[in-house]
Amino acid sequence: DQQVKQNSPSLRVQEGRISILNCDYTNSMFDYFLWYKKYPAEGPTFLISISSIKDKNEDGRFTVFLNKSAKHLSLHIVPSQPGDSAVYFCAAILEYSGGGADGLTFGKGTHLIIQP
Amino acid sequence: EADIYQTPRYLVIGTGKKITLECSQTMGHDKMYWYQQDPGMELHLIHYSYGVNSTEKGDLSSESTVSRIRTEHFPLTLESARPSHTSQYLCASSERDRGFEKLFFGSGTQLSVL
């Protein structure tokens, strides 16, 4: 039973436009939500996080929005650049586990392709 | 940023061979992890360690074993590789960031068992 779902395996966006990656979750007890970015043949890198008590967090071109009533979060990238082409993983964590990564649940990822 | 290194990057071996995937980090992190990931699938935790001489199995059952004799080193061993072990193996370490542990990943080992 997948607790974190990324229903779009891939997304194509034109360079300069906004990219919106979506993530749904089922467990209302999650305390933090994280986004990781992964290039081919490399390990994921941490991108941005949001606490469950917030509804928005912004870092440069990246903004994450959280809608707790809908159990939905989204990552916005504005403007999209060619270097943003990668797989983006949504992840959620339960703080009761100490916030440790053994309590981290990943989605299957969305492959973002930025077209010139 | 944490520096974490995995070797080899790619490994192609025959069935029945014993293999060890190496992972080292230079940031002094106590917590280290091994994940397994297949294309289009989520990352699955197979092993983790919260310090020297501490190892635990993750949520995905794995026939591999790990050891943590030194803080910086967390190798993963498969005693007898099988084609079903073909996958990407990602090592990570973590440090505290507010209410959660932020993961730093190595570049991964792509294992193919023939």
Side-chain angles (χ1 to χ4, degrees):
Chain A
D1 180 29
Q2 245 195 314
Q3 295 191 68
V4 177
K5 299 179 184 178
Q6 294 177 261
N7 292 318
S8 299
S10 66
L11 176 67
R12 290 180 182 270
V13 175
Q14 200 163 10
E15 182 179 355
R17 299 287 184 96
I18 182 171
S19 295
I20 300 176
L21 296 98
N22 294 305
C23 179
D24 297 298
Y25 62 94
T26 57
N27 189 343
S28 58
M29 302 299 291
F30 284 132
D31 299 293
Y32 285 90
F33 301 90
L34 319 174
W35 286 92
Y36 281 83
K37 175 181 179 180
K38 185 181 185 298
Y39 292 118
E42 291 187 17
T45 55
F46 173 79
L47 191 58
I48 193 169
S49 66
I50 188 167
S51 165
S52 62
I53 63 172
K54 306 278 189 182
D55 54 18
K56 177 183 175 181
N57 187 27
E58 190 173 353
D59 184 1
R61 295 187 297 116
F62 302 91
T63 303
V64 57
F65 295 92
L66 176 61
N67 182 335
K68 280 178 292 188
S69 60
K71 294 193 180 70
H72 177 84
L73 65 154
S74 59
L75 174 68
H76 293 216
I77 306 173
V78 183
S80 300
Q81 298 174 353
D84 296 330
S85 295
V87 177
Y88 290 79
F89 289 96
C90 173
I93 197 160
L94 293 164
E95 198 168 8
Y96 85 86
S97 65
D102 56 306
L104 189 62
T105 301
F106 283 91
K108 292 185 178 182
T110 295
H111 186 193
L112 176 64
I113 301 161
I114 305 301
Q115 298 176 314
Chain B
E1 289 291 333
D3 291 329
I4 182 161
Y5 308 98
Q6 288 186 246
T7 57
R9 289 290 302 273
Y10 303 92
L11 181 61
V12 181
I13 59 165
T15 297
K17 299 290 186 184
K18 177 180 178 179
I19 60 165
T20 296
L21 307 184
E22 299 290 346
C23 177
S24 295
Q25 51 97 3
T26 60
M27 299 306 292
H29 290 162
D30 287 325
K31 298 177 181 177
M32 296 189 73
Y33 314 82
W34 277 101
Y35 285 87
Q36 187 173 337
Q37 199 238 339
D38 296 310
M41 300 298 290
E42 58 267 63
L43 281 73
H44 286 292
L45 182 67
I46 51 175
H47 298 283
Y48 62 99
S49 167
Y50 279 6
V52 171
N53 294 326
S54 150
T55 61
E56 300 287 345
K57 289 188 179 294
D59 54 311
L60 181 68
S61 175
S62 173
E63 294 165 344
S64 58
T65 59
V66 293
S67 62
R68 190 88 183 277
I69 299 172
R70 303 197 314 267
T71 298
E72 62 271 21
H73 195 212
F74 191 39
L76 180 145
T77 298
L78 272 167
E79 290 293 332
S80 179
R82 295 206 300 269
S84 61
H85 295 139
T86 294
S87 187
Q88 184 180 42
Y89 292 83
L90 293 161
C91 180
S93 65
S94 70
E95 64 184 28
R96 196 72 178 178
D97 183 334
R98 291 158 287 172
F100 64 93
E101 291 285 322
K102 182 193 292 186
L103 288 167
F104 297 88
F105 285 90
S107 296
T109 294
Q110 182 61 51
L111 174 65
S112 297
V113 184
L114 306 177

